Amino acid sequence: MITIERLTKRYDDDVVVDDVSLEIAEGAIVAVVGASGSGKTTLLRMINRMVEPTSGRVLIAGEDTRATAPHLLRRSIGYAIQGHGLFPHRTIAENVATTPKLLGWDKARIEARVDELLSLFGLEPAIYGPRRPHQLSGGQQQRVGVARALAAFPRVLLMDEPFGALDPIVRAKAQADLRAIQRKLGVTVVLVTHDMDEATSLADRIAIMERGRLVQEATPVEVLTHPATQFAADMFGADERPFRLLSLKSVADLTQPGEAGGEPIAADADRREALAALLWSGRAAAPVTGAGGERLGIVTLARLVEAAAAKAR
Amino acid sequence: MTPGAIERSALRLDRVGATLAALGVGGLALGPFVSARPNRIVDGVPHGLFEALPPSLAAFVALVAAAAALVALSQAPPVLRAFAGAAALACLTLALGQAPRHLTAPGDIYARVAPGWGYWLAGFASTLLIADALTRLRFRPLARLAALVIAGLAAAAAIGSGALDDLSIMKEYAIRATSFWAEARTHLALALGSVAAALAIGAPLGVAVHRVTAARGPTLAVLTVVQTIPSIALFGLLIAPLAWLARTIPGAAEIGIAGVGAAPAFVALTLYALLPVVGSVVSGLGAAPPPAIDAARGAGMTDWQVLAQIEAPLGAPTFLSGLRVVTVQNIGLTTIAALVGGGGFGTFVFQGVGQTAIDLVLLGAVPTVALSFVAAVVLDAASESAGAHA
Ligand SMILES: Nc1ncnc2c1ncn2[C@@H]1O[C@H](COP(=O)(O)OP(=O)(O)OP(=O)(O)O)[C@@H](O)[C@H]1O
Ligand SMILES: [Mg+2]
């Protein structure tokens, strides 16, 4: 859906993004990770032409982005940044209405869309719509920033460390919301992040940048088990890797027949949670229950440990 | 609460109020309330409060001043403090109007009675007491404008009633009533017209150098140089080129361009206003948070839309407070325009200096100060209401 072809950005003699090519499927979430200064933001901003590439091109739905004037292009692409960038002199409703207003939607349609989005993000429109950004918590401001980016039904949503400033609990909630909303709207998301948990848990694919170059682009499991470079391996932390791998799948397909006592584990719980539950309660196995609470079998510590090994995929 | 704490809180003095009380009471007790002269140019003879006024009136003034001082000293609520200041100021000023009748023989048209520094000090302290109280009341911009209108009406009523007609400054006014209002119009036209011209040139220039960062340094440097030329020199410097223009360009003289008069004054005042106008446009437009500008561009705004919808409204308070400084500055500087024949209240000031007639100087200076004050309050209110979102 987004095709990035041999994209390069140079500032004087500095090659900041170096010959990057990348295909992003319709409706996918791609996380762009890499060290500070590796060119993630620059790559992202070349997609909506906030930064003009030195060479190469970007196609969205087969159409060259250079065929459209930059400001018109940006009205069809959502853009959410760290620190939300809300307009302090405008109300929350006016902030969310920014792009629809630029597109000349009529008042009733804008109002309906603003109400719909605020509700979707758990902000009661009648209460929060008339407020100013400074009257909201950091987490609420960030949600409004994403709602604003989604207001005009963009085909693509670009996000640059959108959750970077949030505390871990609020961030986890924001990530879950994003996942649910993205599934509902089917929008293609390119997400720049420093948070490897965020990348592995949210993204369908992870793109790793190293000094301007794209060194690997693959599924989270593949990136974890077969990192393309030493840097890619280090990034996920040797002591964290097995647990990250476990967190990517549910216990459902590790379930085997048998009997075990104690607190049951839901079949759709991820394997890392299951391992933690077994370790914490000192059991070698736990019963697994389905969505309706029915017994499906058991999951054993041995199977979980086996699944945590790199070869196990 | 312990007895000691009660005692301390009762004894606690208001720091600002104590200073003002000392200033006002000290001025009245030690300084001359008026200075009286047999005619307008000889030296004055100082008269204290009790010499200047009939005993009963003097005692009344002293009583009111003492009461206001006590209110200022105490922890009284701001409303009461404002009321005390206003009562003291009104009482001092109306009593001042009675001094000439007490001091001069009936029918003596040459004698002049002017306020002495005792009156000025006490009046100043009362005004500050009001201003301080109004600040503590945290009036909204609209309420401040209303307070200004009430003060203006009170001053107009005091002057219009004739209660002050025997004072020297009013006698000078009576002789020049027609030219006073003509000079007032000239003064306003020069001061506000030059600010408007500076806005017409400086606002687009400010927007341009905000956009073209490379041009910002040089432009501001040139304007700073203009700003540092002493005003009298700048007025003088303009005489020659404007006289040359008037001579060489046909029709230039007909539209009022001349080496002396309003033209060089207008040009010089405009040049002086240019730096602060451009500066406040630039710093106003720079006040918007960078992430908001980034988000605005990302949402699909054109550069002009970002300017009009984000940068301009967010910069308005900074810009308006800059405009306040410029306006107050130009109202004052316009006084100097009289030196090159530009007119305005400066005419009275320089005539007064020439004739060593201090009353005439005051006739030019007092309205200038009043105008500056009005402009400051109005533009301050505008700046604050533009920033109400923050
Ligand atoms: N306008 C610019 N002019 C010159 N150099 C720039 C410019 N913008 C970015 N750079 C340089 O390009 C490099 C990549 O910057 P970029 O912002 O894309 O990195 P990043 O991966 O997003 O880093 P971070 O994780 O810290 O946000 C950096 O070395 C930066 O200094
Ligand atoms: Mg970045």
Side-chain angles (χ1 to χ4, degrees), chain A residues 7-31:
Chain A
L7 210 53
T8 296
K9 179 65 188 180
R10 226 177 268 127
Y11 288 110
D12 301 320
D13 285 340
D14 256 358
V15 186
V16 169
V17 171
D18 190 0
D19 197 19
V20 169
S21 295
L22 180 65
E23 281 279 344
I24 299 171
E26 168 111 45
I29 298 185
V30 172

Side-chain angles (χ1 to χ4, degrees), chain A residues 20-244:
Chain A
V20 169
S21 295
L22 180 65
E23 281 279 344
I24 299 171
E26 168 111 45
I29 298 185
V30 172
V32 180
V33 300
S36 188
S38 57
K40 307 181 294 292
T41 297
T42 309
L43 177 66
L44 188 81
R45 287 162 66 90
M46 282 195 282
I47 297 175
N48 68 353
R49 296 182 63 189
M50 299 281 280
V51 170
E52 291 290 354
T54 309
S55 65
R57 58 178 195 158
V58 177
L59 309 178
I60 295 179
E63 196 184 325
D64 194 323
T65 51
R66 284 172 303 185
T68 317
H71 65 280
L72 298 179
L73 174 74
R74 290 178 202 137
R75 291 173 193 177
S76 67
I77 299 177
Y79 183 63
I81 50 177
Q82 176 168 15
H84 62 71
L86 294 181
F87 310 138
H89 61 304
R90 292 192 170 176
T91 64
I92 297 307
E94 288 167 341
N95 266 281
V96 174
T98 305
T99 307
K101 220 178 223 163
L102 292 171
L103 289 168
W105 290 14
D106 64 57
K107 245 184 98 176
R109 187 172 172 214
I110 293 180
E111 241 167 64
R113 181 63 177 159
V114 168
D115 285 3
E116 183 188 348
L117 276 167
L118 289 181
S119 309
L120 191 62
F121 281 89
L123 298 166
E124 176 57 45
I127 297 173
Y128 292 98
R131 290 207 187 163
R132 306 255 178 213
H134 73 93
Q135 295 168 309
L136 267 58
S137 75
Q140 291 169 335
Q141 291 171 344
Q142 189 282 331
R143 274 182 271 166
V144 175
V146 179
R148 178 176 63 183
L150 289 170
F153 301 102
R155 297 171 287 178
V156 173
L157 175 60
L158 307 178
M159 306 180 93
D160 196 348
E161 301 182 39
F163 311 125
L166 304 181
D167 74 61
I169 292 171
V170 178
R171 187 187 312 158
K173 166 99 170 68
Q175 289 164 345
D177 286 353
L178 174 67
R179 186 78 207 179
I181 288 165
Q182 188 267 345
R183 287 281 175 258
K184 194 166 159 183
L185 305 177
V187 59
T188 308
V189 176
V190 185
L191 170 76
V192 168
T193 181
H194 274 131
D195 177 346
M196 292 306 144
D197 277 328
E198 183 168 297
T200 47
S201 66
L202 267 185
D204 301 305
R205 304 195 55 96
I206 296 179
I208 303 176
M209 300 278 295
E210 214 177 314
R211 276 180 267 111
R213 304 190 67 96
L214 178 67
V215 294
Q216 187 170 20
E217 195 267 330
T219 62
V221 173
E222 191 146 328
V223 167
L224 270 170
T225 53
H226 293 91
T229 63
Q230 187 57 45
F231 173 79
D234 292 346
M235 212 166 41
F236 290 95
D239 54 343
E240 286 271 353
R241 271 183 307 194
F243 307 106
R244 287 221 164 90

